[in-house]
Amino acid sequence: MHTSKEEAEVFRQLAEGFGRSGHPNFFATLVEQLARLLNVDHALVAVVTEANIAETLAVWSSGALQANITYPLAGTPCETVVGVEPCLYACDVQSRFPEDDLLSELGADSYMGLPLFAPDGSAIGLLAVLNNQPMAFDGLENEILRIAAAQAGAELGRRQAESALRKSEAAAKENERRLNTLLNHLPGMAYRCLNDNDWTMQLVSKGAEALTGYRPDELENNRITSFANLIHKEDHDRLVKAVQSAIHQRRPYRVTFRIRHRDGSERWMWEQGQAIFSDEGDVLCLEGFITDVTDQQEAQRVQQAVVQVASTVTSRVGDDYFQQLISTLTTLLEADAGFIALLDQPVPSQQSEHTHPNSLLPATTGHTVSLVVDGQIRKNHTFLLCDTPVERVVLEQESVVHHGQRFTLPGATLSAQAWIGRRLDNAKGEAIGVMMVFYQAPLTTNAFATSVLQILSNGAAAELERRRDHRHMHQLAYTDSITGLPNRVQFMEHLREMGQQAQKQQSPLALLLLDLRRFKEINDLYGHQIGDQLLATVAGRLRHLELPGVHCARLSGDEFALLFPHTERASLDEVVKQLCALVNRPIRLDRHVFNLDVSIGFARYPSDDVAKVSELFNAASIALHHAKKRDTNISPYTQAMRHTLERRQWMTERLHRAILEGRLELYFQPQVDLHTQTLTGAEALCRWHDPEWGWVSPGEFIPLAEERGLIRLLGDWVLKEAARQLSAWQSASTPLPGRLSINISAQQFADPRLTAHIATLTSSVSPSAIGLELTESDFMRDPDQAIIITHAMRKAGYALFIDDFGTGYSSLSYLRRFAADALKIDISFVRDMLDNHHDRAIVQTIIAMANTLEMKTLAEGVGVKLSSCVWRAVERVAYPVD
């Protein structure tokens, strides 16, 4: 418990850290304070990306800030936190998440994580504290973490919002710059001329040629023509009057007028100038600047058109954006039709620009994403590119045809003989689509339309690229890359949809999970390339199942799922037989022939065992788990399976707590010399009495401990408790004659440092007081390793017994080298040896072999006909357990 004063100080320190909100070091300060306030070894804050990747914002470990890291969330405790709820693993977190390298690097034993939420409630990251020892938080610590997670989420959300705002402002500024470039970069001509009827040019800048079509030398002194001769007749008198009036008033003149360009076209000019006077007040000349404002006037129209499009197109993404954009464009440009089309694959810019018109492009088809004909939105269509206006636009980037060969739009009867098109490029400069408008009648002008398309093509191209990327990411997110089947994410969404439909209609829905047996062995032996080909072959067979409505997916590894709507139980049995036959057919790959076998678990809704559709996947998973352990490899789901798994899970948790809290007991089975009837040793037997379940059989909880990774923890407790009991007997002047035998599991025996580990745990007693037992089958898992370890044990002074001898397959050559002290004859031979001459012969042979190898023999179950209470009485009277 914390005092009010302590709590106030904690919250004061926490508030000081939160006062740095908006500061660049906010997250660094936060993790440091959390580590100190909660007295943990590690603390981190991370943002989570859409790819299920955590990117840390600050990491505190071992008393200092560490460099930020990026790591995938799959297989980590953080994955259980993100977007869900706080998650606490009070101890042994590494065994729960063995694939999490970060836990191992930090040396963490416990973990507490909380999700981070943005102000809109979306999950954006996580906050985690880790400790190298078990940890348990009271109300104050939990409140600290909750407040810290809320503040971290708010700060992270604020930073993300600021980043999005900056990007939006940058994009707006870039568009503004491009528009200014279009509108303001206009050619012009500086001049000096006489104030005569011809406005004879004395000096003309180089811009004259672009302005009028005449070189400066052709205009100077009216060599080819006078500038006054170029002025439109309708504007001439007005222009002269305006200029002379300004001269008379001794002010600058600003006028707008038209000229006739050398090529015969009319251009609008804007002129600004002034008269230069002599000291006597006479006009010496006129100086000024003339610029072509034809494009400016056109640009104003374009600008108005862009504004109109922007105000009309309300959607900014997706199909609605394209449909509104092309509808507005066709109306604005007075076109009869228009579309935006996506190419089936990008075309590199160099290839599109330098490809001969008769050459083939990498892209062969286009697909309209918006199509408008006669003001009506039409259904999208896919069409071939070859010999179409679209192909020409891709090749030329911009194409204008005023009067060409008629082209019939895809999915429409409209025939166009004029069109304007603009290629849409992605960020890499690759052509990914086109935007075009079409006219049934010949086109007389195109400057306005091409300018509008040029400006709007950038936004359309960006959205088209986003759409293509979204489709690609959707495919990556929902499709298995190896088999091409739907992946787990897509399948679970489909299962949810079909489940809702089945529940609403009360129609049958069956789920079958299929696992390739021993696939990992093939993968390890022949390599992942062969393994992937096998998976793809199996997927191809499943994909072509001739079953109506079946949906197939690859969930992970070698596990596949099949969903069958409207399938009765009898039909499902036939499907299972068909699947087995389908997968069992030999597969030939790379000169190898593979004969695969499968495990199949299935469940069906509605049924007596699956009452809710939401339980269907879990039920099929449990059935598959049981199928892997059955000889038939096939298992329909039953409620009994769930009860069994639940009991094993509960038992795992209760056993773990019992080990940690020291609530197990050791019983000691005497070992008696049959000739002298004297006590020669004992065997330590672990027993467990649960407060709720009573006595739990070691035949149940010991295999479970081996399976769930608790056997080493259990074995360490047995070794320490056995050593403590031996010391207690020694202190009470009732030492145990001989040795105390202690069972060692195969998982313990796999540790090459086992001898030193045992010595540490049993340091209070002499090694000569302990005998270590390992079953014959465990010895033979790795005989060469076993020989090294057994010799190390013998050298350290421990005796070594081979347990359950006769049930394994040990080689006599290995047995001779194991350096064992004794063989324990399995009880299965001893139990019936008086009545079964075969068992009696085996026992006699084992004894004879042991004598030859100078080993002792121990027989299990010789006293089984004595009542357990007699054995208990003998055991406790002679050697009381304190």
Side-chain angles (χ1 to χ4, degrees), residues 343-365 384-388 390-392 394-395:
L343 305 181
D344 60 344
Q345 59 179 305
V347 178
S349 58
Q350 291 183 350
Q351 187 166 5
S352 62
E353 292 170 1
H354 302 293
T355 299
H356 190 272
N358 296 327
S359 301
L360 294 178
L361 292 173
T364 58
T365 62
L384 294 175
L385 295 181
C386 186
D387 297 327
T388 67
V390 176
E391 181 183 41
R392 183 168 174 177
V394 173
L395 292 172

Side-chain angles (χ1 to χ4, degrees), residues 5 46 101-102 104 109 217 285 300 302 306 309 384 391 540 566 612 624 669 696 727 751 772 775:
K5 185 175 181 181
D101 295 333
L102 181 60
S104 177
D109 184 65
D217 63 296
C285 65
Q300 289 177 352
V302 171
V306 172
V309 171
L384 294 175
E391 181 183 41
H566 312 294
K612 297 180 180 179
L624 178 62
Q669 182 176 4
V696 182
S727 297
D751 183 3
L772 303 174
T775 63

